[in-house]
Amino acid sequence: MFGVVPKSMWQKLNPADENNMCSWALRSLLIEDGDRLILVDTGMGDKQVAKFFGHYYLHGDDSLDRSLAKNGFSRDDIT
């Protein structure tokens, strides 16, 4: 995750597990501003090949659509 930065520099703040993987959170930000609904998406999507996802542990089964629906919105509501 840190590219060429040596592990000794980041492991204290972001300890790796036995597979040398770190836990990360990718959360989107939904902003309601008057009649506008703005989405800042920090996710990684689901269009990558299986090898890409072999570098990550995906936690849960939430998706952008499910998260929007929990808040009473759909992707068509994003302005």
Side-chain angles (χ1 to χ4, degrees):
M1 289 305 297
F2 297 100
V4 298
V5 178
K7 185 176 180 180
S8 61
M9 294 181 72
W10 55 262
Q11 70 180 346
K12 290 179 185 168
L13 293 175
N14 299 286
D17 67 9
E18 65 277 356
N19 295 315
N20 207 31
M21 297 175 80
C22 299
S23 290
W24 300 93
L26 301 172
R27 294 184 176 93
S28 298
L29 174 65
L30 188 63
I31 303 166
E32 291 182 76
D33 181 28
D35 61 349
R36 298 186 309 166
L37 193 61
I38 303 161
L39 178 68
V40 179
D41 185 7
T42 60
M44 66 177 164
D46 61 0
K47 308 259 186 299
Q48 293 80 5
V49 297
K51 181 178 179 182
F52 174 86
F53 286 109
H55 299 285
Y56 301 94
Y57 293 131
L58 300 179
H59 301 282
D61 61 353
D62 280 335
S63 69
L64 181 60
D65 289 323
R66 277 193 287 270
S67 295
L68 285 170
K70 286 179 188 176
N71 290 285
F73 299 108
S74 75
R75 63 177 56 218
D76 295 332
D77 297 323
I78 307 299
T79 56

